[in-house]
Amino acid sequence: MSAVTDRLPTFPWDKLEPYKATAAAHPDGIVDLSVGTPVDPVPELIQKALVAAADSPGYPTVWGTPELRDALTGWVERRLGARDITHHHVLPIVGSKELVAWLPTQLGLGPGDKVAFPRLAYPTYEVGARLARADHVAYDDPTDLDPTDLKLLWLNSPSNPTGRVLSAAELTRIVAWAREHDILVFADECYIELGWEADPVSVLHPDVCGGSYEGIVSVHSLSKRSNLAGYRAAFLAGDPAVLGDLLQIRKHGGMMTSAPTQAAVIAALSDDTHVHEQRERYAARRTALRDALLQHGFRIEHSEASLYLWATRDESCWTTVAHLAALGILVAPGDFYGPAGENFVRVALTATNERVAAAAARLQR
């Protein structure tokens, strides 16, 4: 076991515990804006679908039921604008973090192979490379990278943590460059339905990929759009050759989405009303927190999409974390997402209306 754990960085969230204790000591209680975990109820139609499928004594399939694949293909075409999507273009996964962590291993990458990800990024991209013993490199613009031995390129738009959105033109240029150098592109698009000041575009849109899915796969999650983080419900869409190989590997690994969860996903993707309602909740919280942070002397960069505000007071992120903890507000330090975030904090919109109002009031005093 030590040989595996030695490859991994220190789990970053453990470093936040003392600040969490400080924030929790506030007389009015903690406002935890550090982790982007949903707090609102699972929509009733999804709960009902889960319960109706509760009597599922047999093993589910890794590829999912035909009904699930119908729901996935329909959503990809309807929401992302992709064309000619078949069952072979989609694959359910057991939450997106599992996929990110184990994808390099499942692709057969190892020493000498390179995995690239944004300079400010979700830490699990690096963890996945480390687990596979592959090399890793961070980028500002991936087309500036040396393509030699670069086997996997992660895109993340909208970004976690910054909320930055890559335009269709940027995506088109990057996809063309990756194809020119035979580099597999995986685009983490888990926040694509949460655009505020920009309209995020998928790599699967024909304006980006030219109608061909060769060498590109997008990653989608129901955790945020449908409050299903506890269900571990996500899926891939894109190159059928890549997904076919992953399907075979995941069959051997027993990486199956539970049958009740599959039924819940079908219900979730068949209904857009609950998504719009949840967006409105987040939009109101975003406005309240953004206004309060600006009034408190913060500057906010990017943040045109996703569930976070990328904020700075032009000081060490840990100084900012301590300052806010003294107000009973817990946020994530920017250096969790790479050294380039050392002067920023990530402020999540995932708290109840009451807790967001409490945070805004404390910041405005």
Side-chain angles (χ1 to χ4, degrees):
M1 286 296 294
S2 62
V4 176
T5 55
D6 287 348
R7 300 180 215 162
L8 302 178
T10 302
F11 189 64
W13 295 97
D14 293 343
K15 296 167 61 178
L16 206 54
E17 286 302 316
Y19 301 92
K20 185 175 184 179
T22 297
H26 190 279
D28 186 38
I30 188 173
V31 180
D32 192 343
L33 306 177
S34 63
V35 181
T37 186
V39 297
D40 300 301
V42 173
E44 186 176 358
L45 83 161
I46 301 175
Q47 293 191 47
K48 287 182 176 178
L50 184 84
V51 171
D55 186 15
S56 297
Y59 289 111
T61 64
V62 173
W63 201 14
T65 63
E67 293 78 14
L68 173 61
R69 283 177 262 138
D70 282 342
L72 297 180
T73 56
W75 184 87
V76 169
E77 291 192 337
R78 183 180 81 251
R79 180 60 185 84
L80 304 184
R83 300 172 183 164
D84 302 319
I85 297 294
T86 72
H87 285 192
H88 295 280
H89 290 89
V90 294
L91 179 65
I93 54 176
V94 191
S96 59
K97 185 170 185 175
E98 167 262 305
L99 184 280
V100 173
W102 293 108
L103 179 64
T105 299
Q106 292 177 15
L107 292 174
L109 304 188
D113 297 322
K114 289 190 296 189
V115 177
F117 45 79
R119 193 166 303 282
L120 284 166
Y122 185 46
T124 311
Y125 302 132
E126 179 180 336
V127 168
R130 287 174 175 266
L131 287 170
R133 298 183 185 271
D135 298 327
H136 58 272
V137 59
Y139 65 79
D140 292 312
D141 182 338
T143 64
D144 292 334
L145 294 171
D146 178 355
T148 305
D149 298 321
L150 180 54
K151 300 297 176 62
L152 173 61
L153 172 63
W154 277 108
L155 303 180
N156 181 208
S157 176
S159 163
N160 173 16
T162 69
R164 181 188 173 198
V165 172
L166 295 174
S167 68
E170 288 176 294
L171 290 171
T172 301
R173 176 177 59 84
I174 293 167
V175 167
W177 176 84
R179 284 174 168 168
E180 178 185 350
H181 297 287
D182 197 26
I183 299 166
L184 178 61
V185 173
F186 263 69
D188 183 344
E189 300 179 346
C190 289
Y191 296 92
I192 200 164
E193 296 201 270
L194 293 167
W196 310 114
E197 297 159 2
D199 187 13
V201 179
S202 172
V203 292
L204 302 185
H205 193 283
D207 289 349
V208 173
C209 68
S212 168
Y213 306 114
E214 181 181 359
I216 55 172
V217 177
S218 62
V219 184
H220 296 276
S221 168
L222 284 81
S223 293
K224 308 304 194 295
R225 55 140 9 234
S226 298
N227 299 332
L228 295 190
Y231 284 43
R232 310 315 301 134
F235 64 94
L236 306 177
D239 191 331
V242 175
L243 298 190
D245 284 345
L246 289 177
L247 173 60
Q248 297 307 314
I249 293 164
R250 294 171 69 84
K251 283 180 179 179
H252 284 289
M255 295 178 173
M256 302 171 283
T257 303
S258 75
T261 297
Q262 292 187 33
V265 169
I266 294 169
L269 293 181
S270 68
D271 176 72
D272 293 331
T273 300
H274 77 276
V275 180
H276 296 312
E277 291 172 349
Q278 189 61 45
R279 275 182 53 88
E280 291 303 310
R281 295 186 190 104
Y282 285 136
R285 293 166 187 168
R286 180 180 184 271
T287 297
L289 287 171
R290 185 185 181 93
D291 290 350
L293 287 166
L294 291 173
Q295 183 175 325
H296 198 73
F298 280 86
R299 185 177 77 257
I300 295 172
E301 293 192 0
H302 300 300
S303 306
E304 59 259 31
S306 83
L307 282 182
Y308 312 104
L309 294 169
W310 188 237
T312 182
R313 300 202 307 170
D314 296 309
E315 62 188 8
S316 164
C317 60
W318 290 100
T319 301
T320 305
V321 168
H323 171 76
L324 292 175
L327 299 177
I329 302 168
L330 189 67
V331 297
D335 66 3
F336 277 10
Y337 308 95
E342 63 183 1
N343 292 331
F344 286 80
V345 294
R346 192 194 73 170
V347 183
L349 310 180
T350 49
T352 65
N353 292 344
E354 183 274 330
R355 288 288 83 189
V356 167
R362 296 174 197 180
L363 289 166
Q364 291 169 344
R365 286 177 189 149

